[in-house]
Amino acid sequence: MTTSTFESASGRAHREVNPSTIRWLPLQRTLIVVILVAFVAVQAISLREVSPIYVAIMAPFALALAATWRWPRGGSVALGVLGLLLLLAFLPDVVRDLSNPDSTVTFIVTGVVATAALASVFAGGAILLKRQAHATWHGVRIGAAVLVIGVFAVGIAARLTIDSHAIEPGDVSIVADRVRFGPDSITASAGDVAIHVNNRDWMPHDLTIDELGVKLQIPERSARRITFDTPAGTYEAYCSLPGHERMKLTLIVE
Ligand SMILES: [Cu+2]
């Protein structure tokens, strides 16, 4: 295996870098930038606040990305390992998000991040094993591009088919906004209860009331209505999605 002298952009360091690294690294850096941009977009669009969880995920990726300029091989392998950990840690979420294309933003972000992470794992592995494999390189690039285009196409098509339920007279109205339910408590009369939930977030939510067997799914930026029969009492309603623990309210039935 031959090596070539590689001069860094700053011109400060000359180091011996395997040609496979030179070939794979720009692709991997691009993929990591895509992941970081996606995480920033989620916080800006969906949460509209800085989430400590996202910052904790982004920090090691950003550090390893920066490290690739000083230690191309080590940084690249670290990025591959981080991508693998991300995929494994969030596998249930990835499966859930990708099986719900009607939550377009969540679906597209998850699809793009999962594709980029997978391709980055591949790039890190190729650099670790010093694989040149030009055909494989093109295969990974084309495969990632096809996956991303497919994710956008499915997500946008599904978005066009989302229907919203109109509020009806007598409905108890709830709004989901910035991953919070409002108001904190709602009151209804015993018997037939109708609840209308307007989800203003760019992410799906659900309204779960365990004691009453209620579970209403509300796709992003849509409204849903549910009716059920309930005796008098006080019930806890919440969103059961992970990370949405703060979405809760009390249903008082008189
Ligand atoms: Cu939620």
Side-chain angles (χ1 to χ4, degrees):
M1 180 91 38
T2 58
T3 57
S4 64
T5 305
F6 170 77
E7 189 173 338
S8 74
S10 66
R12 274 176 296 163
H14 292 265
R15 59 183 72 244
E16 295 291 312
V17 178
N18 189 279
S20 66
T21 307
I22 295 170
R23 210 154 172 72
W24 284 101
L25 199 50
L27 172 70
Q28 195 187 32
R29 283 176 179 151
T30 309
L31 295 166
I32 299 307
V33 169
V34 166
I35 291 175
L36 293 176
V37 167
F39 283 160
V40 170
V42 167
Q43 294 176 86
I45 298 170
S46 297
L47 299 172
R48 280 167 278 175
E49 65 183 32
V50 176
S51 158
I53 296 168
Y54 279 102
V55 173
I57 297 170
M58 290 168 70
F61 275 96
L63 285 174
L65 177 64
T68 60
W69 273 274
R70 185 130 180 76
W71 302 283
R73 193 152 177 260
S76 172
V77 172
L79 285 175
V81 171
L82 286 171
L84 190 61
L85 290 175
L86 184 73
L87 283 173
L88 293 177
F90 289 91
L91 197 58
D93 301 85
V94 170
V95 170
R96 186 200 63 221
D97 291 347
L98 293 185
S99 55
N100 286 298
D102 59 347
S103 284
T104 316
V105 172
T106 308
F107 178 82
I108 289 175
V109 168
T110 303
V112 169
V113 168
T115 303
L118 194 62
S120 172
V121 171
F122 211 96
I127 289 174
L128 180 67
L129 301 172
K130 299 185 179 178
R131 286 281 156 77
Q132 294 203 53
H134 293 183
T136 317
W137 188 67
H138 287 299
V140 169
R141 282 206 304 179
I142 292 167
V146 167
L147 275 176
V148 166
I149 291 168
V151 159
F152 270 88
V154 171
I156 291 166
R159 173 73 224 176
L160 297 175
T161 63
I162 293 183
D163 57 326
S164 264
H165 297 174
I167 191 162
E168 292 183 20
D171 282 3
V172 177
S173 174
I174 299 172
V175 172
D177 189 21
R178 302 182 194 201
V179 199
R180 278 203 168 82
F181 279 133
D184 291 339
S185 87
I186 51 175
T187 309
S189 304
D192 279 336
V193 172
I195 292 181
H196 181 267
V197 187
N198 183 10
N199 179 8
R200 292 184 185 153
D201 285 338
W202 285 103
M203 63 169 74
H205 294 299
D206 66 49
L207 183 76
T208 305
I209 309 173
D210 290 329
E211 293 160 284
L212 301 175
V214 168
K215 187 150 199 156
L216 175 66
Q217 311 281 351
I218 316 115
E220 61 179 25
R221 306 286 289 179
S222 70
R224 286 289 150 92
R225 186 174 183 272
I226 189 170
T227 58
F228 50 92
D229 193 62
T230 174
T234 301
Y235 307 94
E236 288 304 314
Y238 63 99
C239 174
S240 69
L241 293 176
H244 296 206
E245 288 74 19
R246 72 189 195 188
M247 300 185 76
K248 49 190 170 191
L249 59 90
T250 307
L251 167 64
I252 301 160
V253 180
E254 296 167 335

